Amino acid sequence: MDGVLDEPLTKTLGPATAKVMAENLDLRTVGDLLHHYPRRYEERGQLTRLAELPLDEHVTVVAQVADARVLTFNGGRGQRLEVTITDGSGRLQLVFFGRGVHRPHKDLLPGTRAMFAGKVSVFNRRLQLAHPTYERLDAESGEGAVSAFAGKLIPIYPACKGLESWKIAKAVDAVLPHATEAVDPLPATLRDGRGFVPLPQALLKIHRPQTKADVEDARQRLKWDEAFVLQVALARRRYADGQLPAVARRPVPDALLDAFDARLPFTLTEGQRKVSAEIFGDLATEHPMHRLLQGEVGSGKTMVALRAMLAVVDAGGQAAMLAPTEVLAQQHHRSVVEMMGDLAEGGMLGGAERATKVVLLTGSMGAAARRRALLDLATGEAGIVIGTHALIEDKVQFHDLGLVVVDEQHRFGVEQRDALRGKGRQPPHLLVMTATPIPRTVAMTVFGDLETSVLDQLPAGRSPIASHVVPAADKPHFLARAWERVREEVENGHQAYVVCPRIGDDLDTSAEARRKSPEDEAEKRPPLAVLDVAGQLSAGPLKGLRVEVLHGRMAPDDKDGVMRRFAAGEVDVLVATTVIEVGVNVPNATAMVIMDADRFGVSQLHQLRGRVGRGSAPGLCLLVTEMPEASPARARLGAVAATLDGFELSRIDLEQRREGDVLGQAQSGVRSSLRVLAVIEDEEIIAAARDEAVSVVGADPELEGFPELRTALDALLDKDREQYLDKG
């Protein structure tokens, strides 16, 4: 934005207020404040219902004082004012201490209506606001306050300590006249074609609506701005990527890939064939592939990726696969070598004639092994390398890098993708794999620069998994039965996992404890720990079974040892943290008990569950929780137990966590810039905005005909974000 909207708030609002806004809400200019929209609107007398207050959040409520009383303590030396307010849905206690009791005692007489703001806490198991600020809404409180709230709809702004919603409202009043100078990013044809109000009007309507229809008009319009500007940024990036040169890698007949396919003991699923065809199509072009491969746990993504890697090796290039952790890199390396057999023994006696070398590269490798791996990469002897971020270091030189496969994208920053890209003589093709199913709209927003392929069939030979919630507190005998079920599985020659949220004897419990709210202290014990649970099980319900532990703090060799013994069937029950969440493949493991399942996210539970039922015997997953029946946590677990469809679950997960979280985890400022756009509900808007963006960028990649849109893009992609998008 230019002109007035770029003016710092210090000029308009004064230094103190501007400082709080900058520090707590990241609002620095007039334009920033104009785009700080109300979170919701209250109508007189109908309020954040007191019955639904969220703990530990700053809230603003409008309510009526029911009664107020001053209590003394410390032998009359200390005073406390307790005020009870009500809004028809519930009651809430306000507390004021010390010298601060006199003014509110005079102001807050029974019957007074006021707006109250403060942080909700729990005291004696009841919700309360301690020392809230308030603004009376009665005639005596002076003309100013009344006129400020005279509009029927009271805007409630996202607020913070030291800056209540109504103070923000007053600040917005000061800058609102500048809304007329806002530059409208939407092309006129699009705006008129969809019947949107102009931007200045939308800003007025969202901050000071007369009616609910005003709010609706403004939101629709502002959602479009966000969706469209973001999609234009992504479309330009796809367009620019499409202009980059790459070496086309076409499969060669009768080479590695054909030899590999010939020895597969099973046929590929329809889905695997379709996705492979999409990938091979991309690899055959002179522009770098950018594809996101989403697949359920166990849908055979690794197989699809491996076939793409072999095709690239056949075409004379090298392929690199990047895993987020050493354990995973080692696992991928093991399973790729197993799948390839003697095709992975290039240059060795007994290797197949068309074989190549598959090397592993991780940070903790010994110097000699590392030197050998680096040499094999530089000479091209190794066609496939699997590793962690160590692959990206300067020392690593490739002979001819043609394809990069990234596993679990959401743990992998764009800077790393960029560094790897620079390793090829021309940008390599890129395939990103994720086992977290992402709803289409999130994929369009978060991975908008990638084309998406989805594997949604499970390969033949996979067994169904039955999932049940075990309410340990309500029905202790269910938990006893769960351990019996584990014993039964072991007696039938199978194995089981028991997953816990923590390792135990934690070094970080004190920090944990400091972060807990009083409610946690009262209601919850610390999450169950691997070491404690393993001990209790071995001594109790699983006595006589071979129980071992696995967690992230063990030395890499110990971890590998445990996993090898488990895979070999020498361990009956593995008690572990979520280390096992990704990539552990033990077909004989049929049961999983997840302790304190309510401490895990929906997608994480789904990932974990995918570790059982990998063989021919059916899987069983028991979600143990002490949460009461009516709690949201139990509803979440119920949802996980009810469906095996990861896409369905990821929608539920998003709706519950609100997408801010999901987008916030992605490594970019762009994504957290969504203010009114809700990724799940606004699916149609995002899809339509994407289509419009593609056609605008296709016709005018530099946006020369759309100066306002370019201005808005610059604002969205201020320097660091711009660089971020370039790197992606």
Side-chain angles (χ1 to χ4, degrees), residues 172-464:
V172 169
D173 284 335
V175 299
L176 209 47
H178 298 310
T180 49
E181 293 158 66
V183 184
D184 199 327
L186 292 191
T189 48
L190 188 153
R191 193 175 62 225
D192 302 342
R194 294 187 175 264
F196 290 136
V197 298
L199 182 57
Q201 213 180 320
L203 289 170
L204 284 170
K205 284 184 163 185
I206 195 134
H207 288 293
R208 297 295 171 259
Q210 295 302 303
T211 61
K212 286 184 176 168
D214 281 354
V215 176
E216 211 26 60
D217 286 353
R219 288 181 72 99
Q220 283 306 65
R221 162 63 221 247
L222 294 165
K223 278 179 179 185
W224 252 91
D225 281 17
E226 282 181 17
F228 181 71
V229 174
L230 181 56
Q231 291 301 337
V232 166
L234 293 166
R236 286 189 70 187
R237 180 154 136 200
R238 281 196 302 274
Y239 181 86
D241 281 343
Q243 308 305 305
L244 289 172
V247 182
R249 311 279 177 176
R250 297 185 180 83
V252 179
D254 298 326
L256 263 173
L257 179 61
D258 287 348
F260 177 77
D261 283 350
R263 41 174 76 192
L264 276 181
F266 49 82
T267 51
L268 296 173
T269 64
E270 187 53 42
Q272 285 175 317
R273 276 201 293 273
K274 186 184 104 240
V275 171
S276 288
E278 292 172 347
I279 291 173
F280 288 152
D282 286 355
L283 289 174
T285 62
E286 315 255 302
H287 299 294
M289 159 170 85
H290 285 113
R291 192 166 279 282
L292 173 69
L293 173 56
Q294 288 184 251
E296 280 287 4
V297 178
S299 56
K301 291 182 300 295
T302 316
M303 173 64 69
V304 169
L306 178 54
R307 292 184 70 246
M309 287 163 46
L310 294 173
V312 168
V313 174
D314 283 344
Q318 289 170 296
M321 183 186 227
L322 259 171
T325 63
E326 296 215 349
V327 173
L328 256 179
Q330 288 161 351
Q331 274 174 10
H332 278 313
H333 182 254
R334 261 205 304 273
S335 63
V336 165
V337 169
E338 274 166 24
M339 287 201 258
M340 287 176 63
D342 59 358
L343 294 175
E345 296 172 1
M348 297 190 224
L349 279 171
E353 56 183 298
R354 306 194 185 81
T356 184
K357 245 185 194 178
V358 180
V359 299
L360 175 68
L361 192 63
T362 61
S364 66
M365 279 168 84
R370 192 180 170 85
R371 262 200 309 278
R372 236 185 357 261
L374 290 174
L375 186 65
D376 287 341
L377 284 180
T379 59
E381 182 91 1
I384 295 179
V385 58
I386 296 172
T388 53
H389 298 71
L391 267 181
I392 299 166
E393 290 169 16
D394 298 342
K395 295 195 272 302
V396 183
Q397 294 301 322
F398 288 87
H399 177 63
D400 178 13
L401 181 60
L403 168 66
V404 176
V405 178
V406 178
D407 185 22
E408 292 296 335
Q409 162 68 18
H410 53 276
R411 307 187 186 179
F412 184 71
V414 171
E415 296 69 36
Q416 289 113 324
R417 271 206 267 175
D418 190 39
L420 254 177
R421 244 191 205 174
K423 299 271 182 195
R425 279 179 265 182
Q426 289 189 323
H429 298 282
L430 175 71
L431 179 65
V432 170
M433 302 197 297
T434 170
T436 313
I438 304 165
R440 195 175 71 116
T441 41
V442 181
M444 278 194 297
T445 326
V446 178
F447 298 116
D449 57 322
L450 303 172
E451 299 300 320
T452 308
S453 300
V454 176
L455 275 177
D456 44 15
Q457 283 171 293
L458 286 185
R462 271 315 184 79
S463 304

Side-chain angles (χ1 to χ4, degrees), residues 121-153:
S121 58
V122 168
F123 182 69
N124 278 343
R125 300 227 166 186
R126 299 200 357 237
L127 293 183
Q128 69 167 26
L129 293 182
H131 272 284
T133 47
Y134 58 87
E135 178 115 340
R136 290 196 307 195
L137 296 176
D138 47 10
E140 300 84 82
S141 57
E143 277 312 296
V146 174
S147 63
F149 299 114
K152 235 181 59 193
L153 295 170

